[in-house]
Amino acid sequence: MATDRVFDFIIVGAGSAGCVLANRLSADPSVRVLLLEAGGSDFNFWIRMPIGYGKTFYHPKLNWRYQTEPDAGIGDRPAYWPRGRVIGGSSSINAMVYVRGQHADFDAWAALGNPGWSAADVLPVYKRMEDNLNGGDHWRGTGGPLTITNMSGSVHPLADDYLKAAAAAGIPVNPDYNGATQEGASIYQVTTRKGLRCSSADAYLHPVRRRKNLEVRSNAHVTRILIESGCAVGVEYVRGSIKTTARAAREVVLSAGAVNSPQILMLSGIGDAARLAALGIAPVHHAPKVGQNLQDHLGFDYIYESTRPTLNDVLRPWWGRLGVGLQYVLTRKGPLSVSVNQAGGFVRGRPDRDRPNTQLYFSPLSYTRAVPGKRALMRTDLFSGFMLGISNCHPKSRGELVLRSADPFAPPVIRPNYLSDENDLDELVDGARILRRIAAMQPLAGLIRREIVPGPAVESDAEMAADIRARSGSVFHACGTCAMGPDPNRSVVDPRLRVHGIAGLRVVDASIFPLIPSGNINAPSIMVGERGSDFILEDARR
């Protein structure tokens, strides 16, 4: 056992929120910050190139590659959960779509007893973190560390056909779903900068990596938090074959994500006391909600054969890949410089909904997701194809995450309990109807040779529901497992992200979401990093 020197702050996890914390907390040169990351360097071509996430999707070194338990809601199938095991975390391997969430999402957080988290509270935080290349206004920020690029003008021509068909289906085009309202069909905004991915590490960590008061240690797997007299005083981590103890004079901050943050808490004796004792872990603090309140967005695609060439025709043949590869290397432009989720939007599944409850996706390519490790996502189908997809914005189903054993290197048990609330299934059936309605409208209808999956034979509500249970899967937005709230019996952290019952310990990542935001969650995760740094610095000055 090696002993490290004492730091003011120890941050566990160099992901979407952890990189923000490392930047903001080390801005004061008198403060010593240690950032620990279980994964390795993000200096990787497939990370830098935006469309390269198709290669990192199953990457054995860059990705935790979690599998859930077989889930009854989706036909007793396990769901695959890619999670970034690399500097930048999941922001280094995600699809880069930038979605803040609906204003009502954050007002709902505040209404649960979390002051400081309303839409009015988080808007200036979002604006200060953004460098939106479309310029600033009441809603958008410029000059911040995170570059936001609107893909309009760079997307495949079929994306514009999708927007026209959506408008014909009664879904108006929204030029900025991160603005006054989220509702409508849109070209997606992405976190890229000059044709390269702009991860949280690119935005926040790399520009300050040379600060003398900031130490970043990769391949450092934290095994537990050290608790003395009810206070977090440091961490234990393994790097190579060496186990090391690092001490924190002020705070330990968990930013390991919705899977690993609750896992580390439980390994440290913070969780349901009976469950921990049954695994041979001495309970330090009974916190029954650790690992509970698990939420995720569930989605599926309808796949169409197109009469017009799609990205399949570019990415499948070797000469096509060579051409766009040269274009990208020489100009940082072309299909490899953008996300494959090029358009989408947010709609009400039924007119009587009080706000959008369904997210739409349009991708000008098609592929069949295979068993992890068997097929890279960049290997597209042989025919000209595209996909229309949906996911539910506000799932009511709740899952849990528990320890498999006391072994800190064993993956936890993940039980999402997808579609355990029938309302979720009803919403997805409504969403499937919307996909069919869009596909039936011109100009998209004139470009469809046939619907391949699920096919026109799937028509009734019961048939659609059965198809959804058979084919749907995670869209990789896991959150909520260390939920924020004022009541220690119903939450894990307080509104300032301090762990109930343990001094000197916070959780700052997507696990603190009390309710899942509407849409992709990387932007809210980074925002939580900014908000958490505010609280830590404010409390340190008191």
Side-chain angles (χ1 to χ4, degrees):
M1 174 74 74
T3 302
D4 212 333
R5 63 191 183 87
V6 178
F7 297 85
D8 291 293
F9 298 103
I10 297 176
I11 304 164
V12 180
S16 297
C19 289
V20 179
L21 291 163
N23 180 306
R24 301 307 191 194
L25 299 185
S26 66
D28 180 348
S30 69
V31 173
R32 298 155 299 173
V33 178
L34 173 64
L35 177 63
L36 299 172
E37 167 56 42
S41 170
D42 61 336
F43 188 71
N44 182 289
F45 176 76
W46 299 115
I47 290 177
R48 296 289 182 225
M49 183 177 68
I51 208 172
Y53 81 93
K55 288 286 189 180
T56 63
F57 191 71
Y58 295 133
H59 199 287
K61 291 185 178 180
L62 303 175
N63 197 320
W64 288 99
R65 300 194 299 176
Y66 288 119
Q67 292 272 1
T68 73
E69 299 301 293
D71 195 297
I74 54 173
D76 290 317
R77 294 178 293 121
Y80 175 60
W81 280 19
R83 311 298 298 170
R85 187 180 186 178
V86 62
I87 295 290
S90 293
S91 75
S92 288
I93 68 166
N94 68 358
M96 299 156 292
V97 176
Y98 185 81
V99 180
R100 289 176 172 179
Q102 295 171 16
H103 306 307
D105 294 336
F106 303 105
D107 288 339
W109 288 14
L112 290 173
N114 298 299
W117 290 96
S118 71
D121 293 317
V122 303
L123 175 59
V125 182
Y126 273 125
K127 291 179 69 175
R128 83 169 185 231
M129 73 192 218
E130 296 173 349
D131 185 19
N132 194 306
L133 299 185
N134 269 12
D137 61 15
H138 176 74
W139 304 106
R140 294 194 298 261
T142 58
L146 186 70
T147 303
I148 313 302
T149 300
N150 190 318
M151 291 191 291
S152 297
S154 301
V155 295
H156 192 279
L158 282 179
D160 291 323
D161 293 322
Y162 159 79
L163 292 181
K164 293 174 184 176
I171 304 169
V173 175
N174 182 349
D176 187 1
Y177 58 86
N178 287 316
T181 179
Q182 194 186 59
E183 191 164 11
S186 302
I187 300 295
Y188 277 133
Q189 301 165 28
V190 290
T191 49
T192 62
R193 178 190 295 157
K194 296 181 179 178
L196 299 172
R197 174 188 294 273
C198 183
S199 68
S200 186
D202 294 312
Y204 287 91
L205 182 60
H206 296 322
V208 302
R209 192 77 180 261
R210 294 183 180 275
R211 285 178 180 168
K212 294 181 179 179
N213 62 323
L214 171 62
E215 290 196 29
V216 181
R217 295 182 189 162
S218 56
N219 300 303
H221 189 121
V222 171
T223 55
R224 67 186 178 105
I225 302 161
L226 304 176
I227 311 291
E228 296 177 2
S229 302
C231 180
V233 297
V235 301
E236 184 179 276
Y237 66 94
V238 175
R239 198 179 191 200
S241 59
I242 300 173
K243 183 181 291 186
T244 302
T245 296
R247 307 281 292 189
R250 296 187 182 181
E251 292 191 26
V252 174
V253 187
L254 269 181
S255 294
V259 174
N260 298 111
S261 283
Q263 181 187 30
I264 293 170
L265 285 178
M266 289 184 282
L267 289 168
S268 308
I270 303 169
D272 184 278
R275 279 183 163 179
L276 296 179
L279 294 174
I281 298 172
V284 172
H285 177 67
H286 180 56
K289 293 303 180 182
V290 173
Q292 303 299 302
N293 194 50
L294 173 60
Q295 298 163 67
D296 189 18
H297 290 136
L298 192 68
F300 57 89
D301 298 308
Y302 275 31
I303 300 177
Y304 295 90
E305 183 177 3
S306 171
T307 61
R308 189 187 297 173
T310 68
L311 285 184
N312 290 8
D313 302 278
V314 174
L315 297 178
R316 187 74 194 190
W318 68 264
W319 58 88
R321 294 196 301 273
L322 177 62
V324 295
L326 287 172
Q327 180 187 21
Y328 180 74
V329 169
L330 294 174
T331 68
R332 291 288 187 268
K333 296 180 180 179
L336 305 188
S337 69
V338 296
S339 174
V340 296
N341 290 327
Q342 295 189 356
F346 298 87
V347 298
R348 305 174 198 227
R350 295 185 180 183
D352 60 352
R353 297 281 182 184
D354 61 354
R355 59 184 175 129
N357 66 316
T358 302
Q359 182 172 5
L360 301 173
Y361 306 84
F362 172 81
S363 300
L365 83 172
S366 66
Y367 50 75
T368 303
R369 289 189 176 93
V371 177
K374 300 298 183 182
R375 183 179 181 188
L377 294 189
M378 288 175 68
R379 292 186 60 194
T380 60
D381 291 322
L382 295 173
F383 53 85
S384 302
F386 65 85
M387 300 188 297
L388 296 175
I390 68 161
S391 62
N392 50 351
C393 288
H394 314 123
K396 293 182 171 60
S397 301
R398 296 291 183 270
E400 68 171 4
L401 184 148
V402 298
L403 293 182
R404 192 175 303 275
S405 72
D407 179 1
F409 297 96
V413 175
I414 305 171
R415 301 188 184 105
N417 294 333
Y418 291 125
L419 304 179
S420 53
D421 190 306
E422 285 293 326
N423 289 295
D424 294 346
L425 184 59
D426 292 341
E427 286 188 326
L428 291 175
V429 170
D430 291 340
R433 296 277 179 210
I434 292 171
L435 296 184
R436 285 266 175 85
R437 193 167 79 233
I438 295 171
M441 296 296 173
Q442 296 294 347
L444 210 55
L447 305 175
I448 294 174
R449 190 183 306 276
R450 61 186 174 123
E451 180 184 290
I452 295 175
V453 177
V458 174
E459 175 56 34
S460 69
D461 285 357
E463 290 166 338
M464 285 185 164
D467 174 63
I468 289 166
R469 289 195 184 276
R471 292 196 306 111
S472 60
S474 173
V475 292
F476 324 126
H477 299 164
C479 62
T481 47
C482 296
M484 170 175 61
D487 184 353
N489 296 313
R490 300 168 62 88
S491 60
V492 178
V493 300
D494 71 11
R496 296 184 74 81
L497 310 186
R498 298 170 295 204
V499 174
H500 292 300
I502 300 291
L505 179 61
R506 296 190 208 230
V507 181
V508 182
D509 57 32
S511 68
I512 66 92
F513 297 173
L515 296 169
I516 191 168
S518 307
N520 308 62
I521 67 168
N522 191 237
S525 299
I526 295 173
M527 180 274 290
V528 165
E530 288 275 13
R531 203 78 181 106
S533 68
D534 289 342
F535 296 148
I536 293 169
L537 293 172
E538 288 167 5
D539 291 348
R541 288 193 288 266
R542 290 176 180 173

